[in-house]
Amino acid sequence: MIWDWSFTLEILPVLAQAAVVSVEATLISFVLAATLGLVLAVVRIAVPRTGWTISVLVELIRSTPLLIQIFFIYFVFPKFGLVLDAFTAGVLAIGIHYAAYCSEVYRAGFDNIHRGQWEASIALNLSAWTTFRDIIIPQAIPPIVPALGNYLVALFKETPLLSAIAVMELMQTAKIIGSDTFRYTEPITLVGLFFLAMSLVSAALIRALERLLNRRTVR
Amino acid sequence: MTEQPMVRFENVSKRYGTLTVLDELNLEIARGEKVSVIGPSGSGKTTVLRMLMTLETINDGVIWVEGEPLTHMKKNGKLVPADLAHIRRIRAKIGMVFQSFNLFPHMTAMANCIEAPMTVLGMKRAEAEARAAELLDLVGLSQKKDHYPSQLSGGQQQRVAIARALAMRPKIMLFDEVTSALDPELVGEVLQVIRQIGREHDLTMLMVTHQMGFAKEFSDRVCFFYQGKICEQGPPGELFGAPKNERTRQFLHAVLEAG
Amino acid sequence: MGIGTLVAMLAAALAVIGVLATQQAYSLFLPGLLQGAVLTIEIAILGSLLAIVMGVLAALVRLYGPAPLRWLATVYVEIFRGTSALVQLFWLFFVLPQFGVTLDAFLVAVVALGLNVGAYGSEVVRGAILSVARGQWEACTALNMSRAQMLRRVILPQAFVAMIPPWGNLFIELLKSTSLVSLITLSDLAFKAQQMNQNTFKTIPIFTLVLLMYLVMSLVLTIGMRLLERRASAGLARGKAA
């Protein structure tokens, strides 16, 4: 039999539990990515002479595979006395990797702010901090929410990499089920379907959000 | 001793690469004086305002505001480039209205007018709102205080921008071609507001304008800029009535022809 | 980032590798890692070729194919974009044999990565075709060209330039994704690194070298795509001027 339904029902709760780990890893690393990315983009504008360094850093992070970065943080950090458990190391690596991508998204958002907004802020003597908080960020963020949303989905789809350092997320769980039972069809297909469903739903949500934002800006 | 000028440009130069936009400008503006700056595009007239607002750095010279250097500060008896704290202290005396309004699109008219008073001057919201309400009333927009910029006409937006600048209680107001982006029928309402605040407030005003009629009627002095220098200046009656310089004559002739 | 900076980064990365290669602690690992890098490059090149074929094919079918084929292409794109590359790799490696189809690991790697990136590529191709000005289509119709002629002679040459930068990004993604094949037993660069790390625990030299080697490959690819873009757009501009 190619597909065994009773086996499917048996492993479903186990996979559901693992899915929670995947989603947790996604959310934590995305918060890290979104925050760190914003910090990078803001620092780049606030302290222009850091621009080159940040560009190079972003390029370095984006030019090397996430999997190697995960290994690097998991295996190399302990050599410097910083021992992280697999989940933390993995989440940190994914967060930093996607921070590099997010910072470019924020940067595009900031670049789209008309120069007059900065000039008006200077003319009103606003501090740099107030200018970012009250004037620039509220205008720059809404248009880039869909782009950030796409990175959230992309990030989610990279969480199976955590299986390489044995984090018990979906992929790792499916592999273990497979090697224990010699049935790979159901667990791996179910994992695929789960990602597919989440991706399709997220894509629809992002499209709806985009429409909402377009309506708002037309106001 | 005579009173300090409100603003003094002392040998100020501005260059972009090899292009000299302003060439050793010397200009004094007295307290309460209304000065109009006219000239062909590229003559450096807008740069004068932008330097005073610290939107542009200067290459040479010093700009003084009420006897204090804006671009520099005194340190051990010498003038060194100013730090941000110094610039912000002096800059507080200056307000600016832009050609393209530059209202904050995500804030209502009222929010635009209370943002800086609350965050920079540290006013309480109630106080800032009361003051903003007065100013929006002054510019004839008390009905529109909860509207967003995109819901206002160009003339209305520019009047909000004027109220926003006034809310910071500046001593000097800069107007940078404030009617140039407006449809012709909306120009009058903005000029009317400027006239009124000129009458009612003890403000020093410096404006770049293409409205020759308004410059003639409103200002105490008109400066004609040409190729980065003041080519001719004087009371509007003289400058418009009997320009001494050939360039001024040509410019006025061309402008009046077009108008 | 300007091409000058990229070249400078490439030179710097190569210089660092060169300096490290003089150190005993590092040079020890170089031959093995280079061996892995060769496999990485092979998979990246073959995967990219498959991705281009799939991307163009799926885009054309989705735009102009008959209904059943169009649905099929859409399903392909949605599935490969909607699940992750590692899941696809594992599915082809572990599940497909249970249906009686056993591909060797190298083939699985090329097919999985090629299909994955091809799905994203089809969106790029589709977008580029749709972005060619409407007037161009109308002019072709007025000249009574067939649709195939329009595409081949007029639309695709113009869409090509717009496609280069996003394809460049996809190739980089594919190159980085090749590291996943280490998880299906292929001894690529990432696999060698893992293996050497487990045997020697010389974690820092190994992973430093590996990161630098991926960096060099990515930069070469990025610089190459930039040059291609420059040439292609210069060609288009010349065409415009004529």
Side-chain angles (χ1 to χ4, degrees), chain C residues 25-36 188-207 209-210 213:
Chain C
Y26 285 82
S27 60
L28 191 61
F29 301 107
L30 262 180
L33 291 178
L34 283 172
Q35 226 174 32
D188 74 323
L189 184 51
F191 184 90
K192 291 279 188 190
Q194 265 279 55
Q195 193 185 36
M196 290 174 174
N197 183 44
Q198 275 160 13
N199 292 340
T200 65
F201 298 107
K202 301 281 185 214
T203 309
I204 293 174
I206 294 170
F207 280 103
L209 279 175
V210 168
M213 287 164 82

PDB file of all heavy atoms in Angstrom, chain C residues 25-36 188-207 209-210 213:
ATOM      1  N   ALA C  25      47.497  25.015   9.994  1.00  0.00           N
ATOM      2  CA  ALA C  25      46.204  24.660  10.572  1.00  0.00           C
ATOM      3  C   ALA C  25      45.071  24.769   9.553  1.00  0.00           C
ATOM      4  O   ALA C  25      44.022  24.147   9.694  1.00  0.00           O
ATOM      5  CB  ALA C  25      45.900  25.551  11.772  1.00  0.00           C
ATOM      6  N   TYR C  26      45.293  25.606   8.525  1.00  0.00           N
ATOM      7  CA  TYR C  26      44.248  25.806   7.526  1.00  0.00           C
ATOM      8  C   TYR C  26      44.513  24.977   6.270  1.00  0.00           C
ATOM      9  O   TYR C  26      43.608  24.365   5.719  1.00  0.00           O
ATOM     10  CB  TYR C  26      44.153  27.290   7.146  1.00  0.00           C
ATOM     11  CG  TYR C  26      43.474  28.135   8.203  1.00  0.00           C
ATOM     12  CD1 TYR C  26      44.182  28.596   9.301  1.00  0.00           C
ATOM     13  CD2 TYR C  26      42.128  28.464   8.093  1.00  0.00           C
ATOM     14  CE1 TYR C  26      43.566  29.361  10.276  1.00  0.00           C
ATOM     15  CE2 TYR C  26      41.499  29.231   9.059  1.00  0.00           C
ATOM     16  CZ  TYR C  26      42.226  29.685  10.154  1.00  0.00           C
ATOM     17  OH  TYR C  26      41.609  30.431  11.097  1.00  0.00           O
ATOM     18  N   SER C  27      45.787  24.980   5.812  1.00  0.00           N
ATOM     19  CA  SER C  27      46.092  24.358   4.529  1.00  0.00           C
ATOM     20  C   SER C  27      45.755  22.868   4.536  1.00  0.00           C
ATOM     21  O   SER C  27      45.405  22.291   3.519  1.00  0.00           O
ATOM     22  CB  SER C  27      47.577  24.552   4.193  1.00  0.00           C
ATOM     23  OG  SER C  27      48.356  23.946   5.196  1.00  0.00           O
ATOM     24  N   LEU C  28      45.811  22.296   5.727  1.00  0.00           N
ATOM     25  CA  LEU C  28      45.463  20.900   5.939  1.00  0.00           C
ATOM     26  C   LEU C  28      44.105  20.532   5.317  1.00  0.00           C
ATOM     27  O   LEU C  28      43.928  19.464   4.742  1.00  0.00           O
ATOM     28  CB  LEU C  28      45.401  20.711   7.462  1.00  0.00           C
ATOM     29  CG  LEU C  28      45.310  19.337   8.048  1.00  0.00           C
ATOM     30  CD1 LEU C  28      46.551  18.565   7.625  1.00  0.00           C
ATOM     31  CD2 LEU C  28      45.264  19.448   9.577  1.00  0.00           C
ATOM     32  N   PHE C  29      43.163  21.469   5.436  1.00  0.00           N
ATOM     33  CA  PHE C  29      41.784  21.161   5.029  1.00  0.00           C
ATOM     34  C   PHE C  29      41.475  21.545   3.587  1.00  0.00           C
ATOM     35  O   PHE C  29      40.455  21.160   3.048  1.00  0.00           O
ATOM     36  CB  PHE C  29      40.798  21.868   5.955  1.00  0.00           C
ATOM     37  CG  PHE C  29      40.963  21.469   7.397  1.00  0.00           C
ATOM     38  CD1 PHE C  29      41.521  22.347   8.317  1.00  0.00           C
ATOM     39  CD2 PHE C  29      40.588  20.204   7.821  1.00  0.00           C
ATOM     40  CE1 PHE C  29      41.683  21.975   9.636  1.00  0.00           C
ATOM     41  CE2 PHE C  29      40.745  19.833   9.145  1.00  0.00           C
ATOM     42  CZ  PHE C  29      41.296  20.714  10.052  1.00  0.00           C
ATOM     43  N   LEU C  30      42.375  22.344   2.991  1.00  0.00           N
ATOM     44  CA  LEU C  30      42.047  22.900   1.674  1.00  0.00           C
ATOM     45  C   LEU C  30      41.754  21.858   0.595  1.00  0.00           C
ATOM     46  O   LEU C  30      40.741  21.977  -0.094  1.00  0.00           O
ATOM     47  CB  LEU C  30      43.151  23.843   1.214  1.00  0.00           C
ATOM     48  CG  LEU C  30      42.873  25.344   1.471  1.00  0.00           C
ATOM     49  CD1 LEU C  30      44.033  26.188   0.977  1.00  0.00           C
ATOM     50  CD2 LEU C  30      41.573  25.785   0.820  1.00  0.00           C
ATOM     51  N   PRO C  31      42.589  20.839   0.429  1.00  0.00           N
ATOM     52  CA  PRO C  31      42.319  19.904  -0.666  1.00  0.00           C
ATOM     53  C   PRO C  31      40.935  19.262  -0.570  1.00  0.00           C
ATOM     54  O   PRO C  31      40.196  19.227  -1.552  1.00  0.00           O
ATOM     55  CB  PRO C  31      43.419  18.838  -0.500  1.00  0.00           C
ATOM     56  CG  PRO C  31      44.488  19.510   0.282  1.00  0.00           C
ATOM     57  CD  PRO C  31      43.822  20.487   1.166  1.00  0.00           C
ATOM     58  N   GLY C  32      40.587  18.799   0.616  1.00  0.00           N
ATOM     59  CA  GLY C  32      39.282  18.162   0.800  1.00  0.00           C
ATOM     60  C   GLY C  32      38.144  19.126   0.514  1.00  0.00           C
ATOM     61  O   GLY C  32      37.164  18.784  -0.154  1.00  0.00           O
ATOM     62  N   LEU C  33      38.290  20.347   1.011  1.00  0.00           N
ATOM     63  CA  LEU C  33      37.226  21.333   0.813  1.00  0.00           C
ATOM     64  C   LEU C  33      37.099  21.692  -0.664  1.00  0.00           C
ATOM     65  O   LEU C  33      35.993  21.840  -1.184  1.00  0.00           O
ATOM     66  CB  LEU C  33      37.502  22.583   1.652  1.00  0.00           C
ATOM     67  CG  LEU C  33      37.378  22.383   3.172  1.00  0.00           C
ATOM     68  CD1 LEU C  33      37.712  23.674   3.914  1.00  0.00           C
ATOM     69  CD2 LEU C  33      35.971  21.922   3.557  1.00  0.00           C
ATOM     70  N   LEU C  34      38.236  21.815  -1.343  1.00  0.00           N
ATOM     71  CA  LEU C  34      38.180  22.141  -2.770  1.00  0.00           C
ATOM     72  C   LEU C  34      37.478  21.036  -3.554  1.00  0.00           C
ATOM     73  O   LEU C  34      36.685  21.311  -4.456  1.00  0.00           O
ATOM     74  CB  LEU C  34      39.590  22.362  -3.322  1.00  0.00           C
ATOM     75  CG  LEU C  34      40.209  23.724  -2.963  1.00  0.00           C
ATOM     76  CD1 LEU C  34      41.672  23.781  -3.383  1.00  0.00           C
ATOM     77  CD2 LEU C  34      39.424  24.868  -3.604  1.00  0.00           C
ATOM     78  N   GLN C  35      37.740  19.787  -3.146  1.00  0.00           N
ATOM     79  CA  GLN C  35      37.047  18.658  -3.760  1.00  0.00           C
ATOM     80  C   GLN C  35      35.531  18.808  -3.612  1.00  0.00           C
ATOM     81  O   GLN C  35      34.770  18.640  -4.558  1.00  0.00           O
ATOM     82  CB  GLN C  35      37.489  17.380  -3.053  1.00  0.00           C
ATOM     83  CG  GLN C  35      37.846  16.258  -3.956  1.00  0.00           C
ATOM     84  CD  GLN C  35      38.412  15.109  -3.130  1.00  0.00           C
ATOM     85  OE1 GLN C  35      38.009  14.905  -1.981  1.00  0.00           O
ATOM     86  NE2 GLN C  35      39.335  14.378  -3.704  1.00  0.00           N
ATOM     87  N   GLY C  36      35.126  19.167  -2.386  1.00  0.00           N
ATOM     88  CA  GLY C  36      33.703  19.383  -2.140  1.00  0.00           C
ATOM     89  C   GLY C  36      33.173  20.526  -2.973  1.00  0.00           C
ATOM     90  O   GLY C  36      32.070  20.460  -3.520  1.00  0.00           O
ATOM     91  N   ASP C 188      29.432  17.380  -0.900  1.00  0.00           N
ATOM     92  CA  ASP C 188      29.715  18.718  -1.405  1.00  0.00           C
ATOM     93  C   ASP C 188      30.525  19.480  -0.355  1.00  0.00           C
ATOM     94  O   ASP C 188      30.966  18.898   0.648  1.00  0.00           O
ATOM     95  CB  ASP C 188      28.402  19.457  -1.696  1.00  0.00           C
ATOM     96  CG  ASP C 188      27.726  19.886  -0.423  1.00  0.00           C
ATOM     97  OD1 ASP C 188      27.791  19.112   0.557  1.00  0.00           O
ATOM     98  OD2 ASP C 188      27.166  20.991  -0.377  1.00  0.00           O
ATOM     99  N   LEU C 189      30.680  20.769  -0.565  1.00  0.00           N
ATOM    100  CA  LEU C 189      31.488  21.582   0.335  1.00  0.00           C
ATOM    101  C   LEU C 189      30.961  21.534   1.775  1.00  0.00           C
ATOM    102  O   LEU C 189      31.734  21.357   2.729  1.00  0.00           O
ATOM    103  CB  LEU C 189      31.515  23.025  -0.199  1.00  0.00           C
ATOM    104  CG  LEU C 189      32.368  24.051   0.513  1.00  0.00           C
ATOM    105  CD1 LEU C 189      33.783  23.549   0.697  1.00  0.00           C
ATOM    106  CD2 LEU C 189      32.374  25.356  -0.279  1.00  0.00           C
ATOM    107  N   ALA C 190      29.641  21.661   1.924  1.00  0.00           N
ATOM    108  CA  ALA C 190      29.062  21.669   3.269  1.00  0.00           C
ATOM    109  C   ALA C 190      29.266  20.314   3.960  1.00  0.00           C
ATOM    110  O   ALA C 190      29.557  20.235   5.155  1.00  0.00           O
ATOM    111  CB  ALA C 190      27.569  22.001   3.202  1.00  0.00           C
ATOM    112  N   PHE C 191      29.139  19.235   3.168  1.00  0.00           N
ATOM    113  CA  PHE C 191      29.307  17.887   3.708  1.00  0.00           C
ATOM    114  C   PHE C 191      30.743  17.675   4.180  1.00  0.00           C
ATOM    115  O   PHE C 191      30.994  17.177   5.286  1.00  0.00           O
ATOM    116  CB  PHE C 191      28.952  16.863   2.617  1.00  0.00           C
ATOM    117  CG  PHE C 191      28.996  15.446   3.082  1.00  0.00           C
ATOM    118  CD1 PHE C 191      27.865  14.844   3.610  1.00  0.00           C
ATOM    119  CD2 PHE C 191      30.168  14.694   2.986  1.00  0.00           C
ATOM    120  CE1 PHE C 191      27.892  13.526   4.033  1.00  0.00           C
ATOM    121  CE2 PHE C 191      30.210  13.377   3.424  1.00  0.00           C
ATOM    122  CZ  PHE C 191      29.058  12.799   3.945  1.00  0.00           C
ATOM    123  N   LYS C 192      31.689  18.078   3.335  1.00  0.00           N
ATOM    124  CA  LYS C 192      33.107  17.956   3.696  1.00  0.00           C
ATOM    125  C   LYS C 192      33.382  18.691   5.006  1.00  0.00           C
ATOM    126  O   LYS C 192      34.125  18.196   5.864  1.00  0.00           O
ATOM    127  CB  LYS C 192      33.983  18.528   2.581  1.00  0.00           C
ATOM    128  CG  LYS C 192      33.982  17.702   1.312  1.00  0.00           C
ATOM    129  CD  LYS C 192      34.935  16.527   1.425  1.00  0.00           C
ATOM    130  CE  LYS C 192      35.062  15.828   0.080  1.00  0.00           C
ATOM    131  NZ  LYS C 192      35.779  14.556   0.188  1.00  0.00           N
ATOM    132  N   ALA C 193      32.794  19.877   5.107  1.00  0.00           N
ATOM    133  CA  ALA C 193      33.030  20.671   6.306  1.00  0.00           C
ATOM    134  C   ALA C 193      32.540  19.927   7.545  1.00  0.00           C
ATOM    135  O   ALA C 193      33.261  19.799   8.542  1.00  0.00           O
ATOM    136  CB  ALA C 193      32.308  22.021   6.183  1.00  0.00           C
ATOM    137  N   GLN C 194      31.306  19.427   7.448  1.00  0.00           N
ATOM    138  CA  GLN C 194      30.718  18.691   8.557  1.00  0.00           C
ATOM    139  C   GLN C 194      31.575  17.478   8.928  1.00  0.00           C
ATOM    140  O   GLN C 194      31.881  17.232  10.092  1.00  0.00           O
ATOM    141  CB  GLN C 194      29.326  18.193   8.146  1.00  0.00           C
ATOM    142  CG  GLN C 194      28.202  19.089   8.548  1.00  0.00           C
ATOM    143  CD  GLN C 194      27.848  18.856   9.998  1.00  0.00           C
ATOM    144  OE1 GLN C 194      28.698  18.941  10.888  1.00  0.00           O
ATOM    145  NE2 GLN C 194      26.582  18.575  10.261  1.00  0.00           N
ATOM    146  N   GLN C 195      31.961  16.753   7.891  1.00  0.00           N
ATOM    147  CA  GLN C 195      32.726  15.520   8.089  1.00  0.00           C
ATOM    148  C   GLN C 195      34.066  15.819   8.751  1.00  0.00           C
ATOM    149  O   GLN C 195      34.445  15.197   9.745  1.00  0.00           O
ATOM    150  CB  GLN C 195      32.944  14.886   6.712  1.00  0.00           C
ATOM    151  CG  GLN C 195      33.444  13.479   6.730  1.00  0.00           C
ATOM    152  CD  GLN C 195      33.742  13.010   5.314  1.00  0.00           C
ATOM    153  OE1 GLN C 195      34.209  13.790   4.476  1.00  0.00           O
ATOM    154  NE2 GLN C 195      33.449  11.756   5.041  1.00  0.00           N
ATOM    155  N   MET C 196      34.785  16.799   8.217  1.00  0.00           N
ATOM    156  CA  MET C 196      36.084  17.156   8.794  1.00  0.00           C
ATOM    157  C   MET C 196      35.923  17.671  10.219  1.00  0.00           C
ATOM    158  O   MET C 196      36.740  17.400  11.088  1.00  0.00           O
ATOM    159  CB  MET C 196      36.759  18.239   7.952  1.00  0.00           C
ATOM    160  CG  MET C 196      37.232  17.748   6.608  1.00  0.00           C
ATOM    161  SD  MET C 196      37.849  19.139   5.640  1.00  0.00           S
ATOM    162  CE  MET C 196      38.486  18.269   4.220  1.00  0.00           C
ATOM    163  N   ASN C 197      34.857  18.415  10.430  1.00  0.00           N
ATOM    164  CA  ASN C 197      34.609  18.957  11.761  1.00  0.00           C
ATOM    165  C   ASN C 197      34.409  17.834  12.769  1.00  0.00           C
ATOM    166  O   ASN C 197      34.946  17.866  13.873  1.00  0.00           O
ATOM    167  CB  ASN C 197      33.385  19.873  11.720  1.00  0.00           C
ATOM    168  CG  ASN C 197      33.126  20.534  13.065  1.00  0.00           C
ATOM    169  OD1 ASN C 197      34.057  21.003  13.708  1.00  0.00           O
ATOM    170  ND2 ASN C 197      31.867  20.548  13.482  1.00  0.00           N
ATOM    171  N   GLN C 198      33.656  16.800  12.352  1.00  0.00           N
ATOM    172  CA  GLN C 198      33.418  15.689  13.277  1.00  0.00           C
ATOM    173  C   GLN C 198      34.678  14.888  13.540  1.00  0.00           C
ATOM    174  O   GLN C 198      34.876  14.369  14.627  1.00  0.00           O
ATOM    175  CB  GLN C 198      32.314  14.778  12.724  1.00  0.00           C
ATOM    176  CG  GLN C 198      30.923  15.282  13.091  1.00  0.00           C
ATOM    177  CD  GLN C 198      29.849  14.708  12.198  1.00  0.00           C
ATOM    178  OE1 GLN C 198      30.085  13.757  11.460  1.00  0.00           O
ATOM    179  NE2 GLN C 198      28.666  15.292  12.276  1.00  0.00           N
ATOM    180  N   ASN C 199      35.540  14.831  12.515  1.00  0.00           N
ATOM    181  CA  ASN C 199      36.755  14.036  12.681  1.00  0.00           C
ATOM    182  C   ASN C 199      37.848  14.751  13.462  1.00  0.00           C
ATOM    183  O   ASN C 199      38.617  14.127  14.169  1.00  0.00           O
ATOM    184  CB  ASN C 199      37.309  13.626  11.312  1.00  0.00           C
ATOM    185  CG  ASN C 199      36.371  12.641  10.629  1.00  0.00           C
ATOM    186  OD1 ASN C 199      35.548  12.009  11.286  1.00  0.00           O
ATOM    187  ND2 ASN C 199      36.478  12.542   9.314  1.00  0.00           N
ATOM    188  N   THR C 200      37.929  16.078  13.269  1.00  0.00           N
ATOM    189  CA  THR C 200      39.090  16.781  13.818  1.00  0.00           C
ATOM    190  C   THR C 200      38.750  17.792  14.910  1.00  0.00           C
ATOM    191  O   THR C 200      39.636  18.234  15.634  1.00  0.00           O
ATOM    192  CB  THR C 200      39.814  17.552  12.708  1.00  0.00           C
ATOM    193  OG1 THR C 200      38.916  18.578  12.227  1.00  0.00           O
ATOM    194  CG2 THR C 200      40.209  16.649  11.562  1.00  0.00           C
ATOM    195  N   PHE C 201      37.479  18.225  14.956  1.00  0.00           N
ATOM    196  CA  PHE C 201      37.052  19.296  15.870  1.00  0.00           C
ATOM    197  C   PHE C 201      37.798  20.608  15.647  1.00  0.00           C
ATOM    198  O   PHE C 201      37.831  21.458  16.517  1.00  0.00           O
ATOM    199  CB  PHE C 201      37.200  18.859  17.344  1.00  0.00           C
ATOM    200  CG  PHE C 201      36.347  17.675  17.670  1.00  0.00           C
ATOM    201  CD1 PHE C 201      36.910  16.424  17.858  1.00  0.00           C
ATOM    202  CD2 PHE C 201      34.975  17.811  17.763  1.00  0.00           C
ATOM    203  CE1 PHE C 201      36.113  15.326  18.129  1.00  0.00           C
ATOM    204  CE2 PHE C 201      34.170  16.718  18.045  1.00  0.00           C
ATOM    205  CZ  PHE C 201      34.742  15.464  18.231  1.00  0.00           C
ATOM    206  N   LYS C 202      38.428  20.755  14.467  1.00  0.00           N
ATOM    207  CA  LYS C 202      39.070  22.043  14.161  1.00  0.00           C
ATOM    208  C   LYS C 202      38.001  22.960  13.553  1.00  0.00           C
ATOM    209  O   LYS C 202      38.061  23.313  12.370  1.00  0.00           O
ATOM    210  CB  LYS C 202      40.220  21.839  13.169  1.00  0.00           C
ATOM    211  CG  LYS C 202      41.292  20.905  13.669  1.00  0.00           C
ATOM    212  CD  LYS C 202      42.204  21.631  14.630  1.00  0.00           C
ATOM    213  CE  LYS C 202      43.360  20.731  15.037  1.00  0.00           C
ATOM    214  NZ  LYS C 202      43.778  20.979  16.415  1.00  0.00           N
ATOM    215  N   THR C 203      37.026  23.296  14.369  1.00  0.00           N
ATOM    216  CA  THR C 203      35.837  23.962  13.866  1.00  0.00           C
ATOM    217  C   THR C 203      36.136  25.315  13.221  1.00  0.00           C
ATOM    218  O   THR C 203      35.636  25.620  12.143  1.00  0.00           O
ATOM    219  CB  THR C 203      34.851  24.165  15.029  1.00  0.00           C
ATOM    220  OG1 THR C 203      34.692  22.916  15.670  1.00  0.00           O
ATOM    221  CG2 THR C 203      33.528  24.661  14.541  1.00  0.00           C
ATOM    222  N   ILE C 204      36.965  26.121  13.890  1.00  0.00           N
ATOM    223  CA  ILE C 204      37.158  27.489  13.399  1.00  0.00           C
ATOM    224  C   ILE C 204      37.831  27.524  12.026  1.00  0.00           C
ATOM    225  O   ILE C 204      37.302  28.147  11.100  1.00  0.00           O
ATOM    226  CB  ILE C 204      37.911  28.342  14.436  1.00  0.00           C
ATOM    227  CG1 ILE C 204      37.013  28.524  15.662  1.00  0.00           C
ATOM    228  CG2 ILE C 204      38.284  29.711  13.862  1.00  0.00           C
ATOM    229  CD1 ILE C 204      37.666  29.229  16.815  1.00  0.00           C
ATOM    230  N   PRO C 205      38.976  26.858  11.861  1.00  0.00           N
ATOM    231  CA  PRO C 205      39.571  26.920  10.515  1.00  0.00           C
ATOM    232  C   PRO C 205      38.652  26.353   9.441  1.00  0.00           C
ATOM    233  O   PRO C 205      38.530  26.937   8.369  1.00  0.00           O
ATOM    234  CB  PRO C 205      40.843  26.073  10.641  1.00  0.00           C
ATOM    235  CG  PRO C 205      40.922  25.582  12.027  1.00  0.00           C
ATOM    236  CD  PRO C 205      39.828  26.167  12.829  1.00  0.00           C
ATOM    237  N   ILE C 206      37.991  25.256   9.725  1.00  0.00           N
ATOM    238  CA  ILE C 206      37.146  24.626   8.705  1.00  0.00           C
ATOM    239  C   ILE C 206      36.023  25.548   8.270  1.00  0.00           C
ATOM    240  O   ILE C 206      35.859  25.840   7.090  1.00  0.00           O
ATOM    241  CB  ILE C 206      36.573  23.286   9.222  1.00  0.00           C
ATOM    242  CG1 ILE C 206      37.703  22.287   9.429  1.00  0.00           C
ATOM    243  CG2 ILE C 206      35.550  22.731   8.248  1.00  0.00           C
ATOM    244  CD1 ILE C 206      37.283  21.018  10.152  1.00  0.00           C
ATOM    245  N   PHE C 207      35.263  26.036   9.243  1.00  0.00           N
ATOM    246  CA  PHE C 207      34.097  26.832   8.849  1.00  0.00           C
ATOM    247  C   PHE C 207      34.480  28.207   8.306  1.00  0.00           C
ATOM    248  O   PHE C 207      33.783  28.760   7.460  1.00  0.00           O
ATOM    249  CB  PHE C 207      33.081  26.917   9.991  1.00  0.00           C
ATOM    250  CG  PHE C 207      32.253  25.679  10.084  1.00  0.00           C
ATOM    251  CD1 PHE C 207      32.490  24.723  11.061  1.00  0.00           C
ATOM    252  CD2 PHE C 207      31.253  25.451   9.159  1.00  0.00           C
ATOM    253  CE1 PHE C 207      31.744  23.561  11.118  1.00  0.00           C
ATOM    254  CE2 PHE C 207      30.494  24.286   9.206  1.00  0.00           C
ATOM    255  CZ  PHE C 207      30.740  23.341  10.188  1.00  0.00           C
ATOM    256  N   LEU C 209      37.117  28.768   6.402  1.00  0.00           N
ATOM    257  CA  LEU C 209      37.444  28.501   4.998  1.00  0.00           C
ATOM    258  C   LEU C 209      36.191  28.265   4.167  1.00  0.00           C
ATOM    259  O   LEU C 209      36.059  28.774   3.050  1.00  0.00           O
ATOM    260  CB  LEU C 209      38.371  27.276   4.902  1.00  0.00           C
ATOM    261  CG  LEU C 209      39.857  27.526   5.170  1.00  0.00           C
ATOM    262  CD1 LEU C 209      40.624  26.211   5.168  1.00  0.00           C
ATOM    263  CD2 LEU C 209      40.435  28.478   4.129  1.00  0.00           C
ATOM    264  N   VAL C 210      35.261  27.488   4.730  1.00  0.00           N
ATOM    265  CA  VAL C 210      34.047  27.164   3.977  1.00  0.00           C
ATOM    266  C   VAL C 210      33.239  28.422   3.670  1.00  0.00           C
ATOM    267  O   VAL C 210      32.800  28.636   2.537  1.00  0.00           O
ATOM    268  CB  VAL C 210      33.199  26.141   4.749  1.00  0.00           C
ATOM    269  CG1 VAL C 210      31.818  26.018   4.139  1.00  0.00           C
ATOM    270  CG2 VAL C 210      33.894  24.801   4.756  1.00  0.00           C
ATOM    271  N   MET C 213      34.909  30.291   0.965  1.00  0.00           N
ATOM    272  CA  MET C 213      34.775  29.667  -0.354  1.00  0.00           C
ATOM    273  C   MET C 213      33.386  29.908  -0.949  1.00  0.00           C
ATOM    274  O   MET C 213      33.248  30.204  -2.140  1.00  0.00           O
ATOM    275  CB  MET C 213      35.107  28.173  -0.268  1.00  0.00           C
ATOM    276  CG  MET C 213      36.615  27.947  -0.082  1.00  0.00           C
ATOM    277  SD  MET C 213      37.036  26.295   0.468  1.00  0.00           S
ATOM    278  CE  MET C 213      37.000  25.411  -1.070  1.00  0.00           C
TER     279      MET C 213
END
